[in-house]
Every structure is written in structure tokens, then in C-alpha cells.
């Protein structure tokens, strides 16, 4: 497990839990990050640029910033936000979000592909948020994405892995880190995502809306680690019918 690293854009991370920074009381972000063991934190550019309560003042040092293009409705808007984030000193990582559906907040997959291609050519480490579709995942890979970030359920819903089967297809078919993003509401759901082979999990609302934020952050850390260990161990077989004794039954039972 010590050598099991998450590689994104040539960078190595020992934590496979990515923490979202929205919806928090800012002083709690530091505690959540520390308890989650997070090495990557997302942030919206507008929060980083705020004149009051700058979020950067609350993020522990040494953590990689993952600015997102939250609020972008078109590929052009997302590209502009990404470039601004780099100019502001946030680095080359970018979580690409393009959402023009205001009711369900579902990502625009086609616009995301276009923006990924342009930003990847400009040297960004593009981590696109997408609706889980295998053909889109292939196009994002070919466009230069560093990872694929399919939604588990609608943003902020805490519904868990509503798209589980489609995420599993992407994990099985795409040779990029698959990071489950959006909708994860419980540590058990994060564990399940990791057990089926996800490279990492990102969560925001599940922690930010918890009764005890630091404790929930710690629970997610442990769940992600447990799920990854289970995946690496290789889960045992599942019997579709019948049962199999875990200890021999011969020698003391007789059929009558």
C-alpha cells in the first residue's frame, strides 16, 4: 500500500481522496482537509479571488490546488476560467466543469470534449467532469484528459452511486484514472466506488453538510483506504445460487 500511488499528470499522490471546498464555513476547511488526509482540494476561482475571507488562507500548505471551471456554460467560458486560474498562480491542474443544465446540473459532455482538447494542448492537466458514457470517456482520453471524472449522482444530492454500472464500464475500458465525482453521500458509497476499481473519490456536500465535519472527513479517508485495499486484495467469488460452507461439514453430519 505504501507504493500504491495515484498518478495525475506526472504527479504522485498517496491519498486517493479529493476534497471539495464548497459550502463550508471557511475555518472548517483546514480541519476537514487534515482529517481527510487530502492532498488535492478543489476550489472555485471566484472564491480564490475574493477580497474577503480568501479560501487560500484556509487551505493547509503543501496541498495541490485543483481549480474548477464552476459556472461555465460553454467550452469558451471554461477555457477562459482555466487560463485565469493559471494566471492567478493556481498551477496547471484544472477540473473542467461545463454545465448549462440549470435544473439537474448535468455536464455538457460534448462541450467538455472540445474544451479538454484545447486546454490539454496548452499544457493543462485536465480532469474533466462528465456524465458517465463510454464513448465520451474515449473521446476525452483521446483529447488529452489526465483522468475521467464521472458523476455518481446529481451534484449535491448525496444519493451515492446511481450510475454505478456505467462507471464500472468506464473503469474497465479506459486506461486513465477514473475518479468518481458528485453525488457520493456516505463513506460506504466511497468505499464501494473504490472496491470496484475507481482510482479516487471526490466528495464535497457529504462532508460540508455533516453534523461533525472533521469526523465525517476522517470517516471518508478510512473508507477510501479500505475500499482501495479491498480492490487490491481481490474480492472473493460471489455465488449466484446455493451456499458453500466455510468449514468442512463431513465427519459429524449425516443426511437422514
Amino acid at each position: 500500500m505504501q507504493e500504491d500511488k495515484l498518478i495525475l499528470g506526472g504527479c504522485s499522490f498517496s491519498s486517493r481522496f479529493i476534497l471539495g471546498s464548497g459550502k463550508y464555513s471557511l475555518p472548517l476547511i483546514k480541519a476537514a482537509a487534515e482529517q481527510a488526509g487530502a492532498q488535492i482540494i478543489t476550489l472555485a476561482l471566484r472564491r480564490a479571488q475574493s477580497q474577503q475571507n480568501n479560501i487560500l488562507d484556509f487551505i493547509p500548505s503543501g496541498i495541490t490546488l485543483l481549480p474548477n471551471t464552476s459556472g461555465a456554460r460553454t467550452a469558451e467560458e471554461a477555457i477562459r476560467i482555466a487560463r485565469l486560474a493559471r494566471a492567478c498562480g493556481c498551477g496547471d491542474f484544472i477540473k473542467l466543469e461545463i454545465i448549462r443544465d440549470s435544473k439537474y446540473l448535468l455536464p455538457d459532455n460534448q462541450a467538455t470534449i472540445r474544451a479538454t482538447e484545447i486546454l490539454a494542448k496548452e499544457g493543462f492537466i485536465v480532469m474533466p467532469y462528465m456524465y458517465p458514457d463510454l464513448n465520451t470517456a474515449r473521446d476525452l482520453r483521446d483529447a488529452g484528459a489526465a483522468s475521467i471524472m464521472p458523476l455518481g449522482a446529481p451534484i449535491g444530492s448525496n444519493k451515492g452511486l446511481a450510475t454505478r454500472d456505467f462507471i464500472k464500464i468506464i473503469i474497465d475500458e479506459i486506461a486513465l484514472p477514473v475518479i468518481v465525482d458528485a453525488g457520493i453521500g456516505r463513506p460506504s458509497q466511497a468505499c464501494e466506488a473504490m472496491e470496484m476499481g475507481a482510482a479516487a473519490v471526490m466528495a464535497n456536500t457529504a462532508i460540508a453538510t455533516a453534523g461533525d465535519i472533521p469526523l465525517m472527513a476522517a470517516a471518508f479517508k478510512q473508507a477510501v483506504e479500505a475500499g482501495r485495499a479491498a480492490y487490491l486484495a481481490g474480492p472473493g467469488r460471489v455465488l449466484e445460487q446455493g451456499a458453500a460452507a466455510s468449514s468442512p461439514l463431513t465427519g459429524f453430519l449425516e443426511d437422514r
Side-chain angles (χ1 to χ4, degrees), residues 36-228:
Q39 295 175 314
I40 303 174
I41 291 184
T42 68
L43 74 160
L45 184 61
R46 60 183 177 273
R47 297 189 79 191
Q49 292 181 311
S50 174
Q51 295 300 312
Q52 295 182 338
N53 294 328
N54 190 327
I55 191 174
L56 296 177
D57 296 333
F58 297 87
I59 295 177
S61 61
I63 288 182
T64 296
L65 299 178
L66 179 58
N68 62 40
T69 61
S70 173
R73 290 178 170 268
T74 66
E76 293 70 26
E77 289 179 1
I79 291 166
R80 179 173 177 271
I81 293 171
R83 290 169 176 167
L84 284 171
R86 175 186 270 173
C88 288
C90 292
D92 293 331
F93 279 90
I94 193 73
K95 182 189 173 194
L96 186 59
E97 297 182 22
I98 303 175
I99 298 172
R100 58 190 177 93
D101 164 43
S102 59
K103 182 175 183 180
Y104 299 104
L105 302 179
L106 297 177
D108 184 332
N109 281 357
Q110 295 307 309
T112 301
I113 294 167
R114 294 198 302 273
T116 296
E117 185 173 13
I118 291 170
L119 292 173
K121 287 179 179 178
E122 294 182 5
F124 283 92
I125 300 169
V126 186
M127 300 170 61
Y129 171 63
M130 50 89 76
Y131 189 86
D133 168 76
L134 177 59
N135 292 320
T136 299
R138 286 171 172 158
D139 289 342
L140 288 170
R141 174 200 60 197
D142 296 342
S147 69
I148 305 294
M149 301 185 73
L151 62 86
I155 292 174
S157 67
N158 282 351
K159 287 184 176 181
L161 292 170
T163 60
R164 184 189 193 284
D165 291 344
F166 300 103
I167 291 174
K168 187 64 170 66
I169 290 172
I170 293 173
I171 290 171
D172 291 343
E173 297 296 327
I174 302 297
L176 286 176
V178 176
I179 301 170
V180 179
D181 179 20
I184 297 294
R186 300 288 184 269
S188 58
Q189 296 159 358
C191 186
E192 182 182 358
M194 297 302 296
E195 284 180 344
M196 69 183 190
V201 166
M202 181 188 157
N204 187 163
T205 302
I207 296 175
T209 60
D212 187 324
I213 287 175
L215 186 59
M216 185 61 78
F220 265 88
K221 174 181 183 292
Q222 295 161 12
V224 168
E225 291 174 349
R228 180 63 179 178

Side-chain angles (χ1 to χ4, degrees), residues 234-252:
R237 63 187 173 87
V238 176
L239 293 178
E240 297 299 331
Q241 293 183 342
S246 56
S247 300
L249 296 178
T250 58
F252 63 94

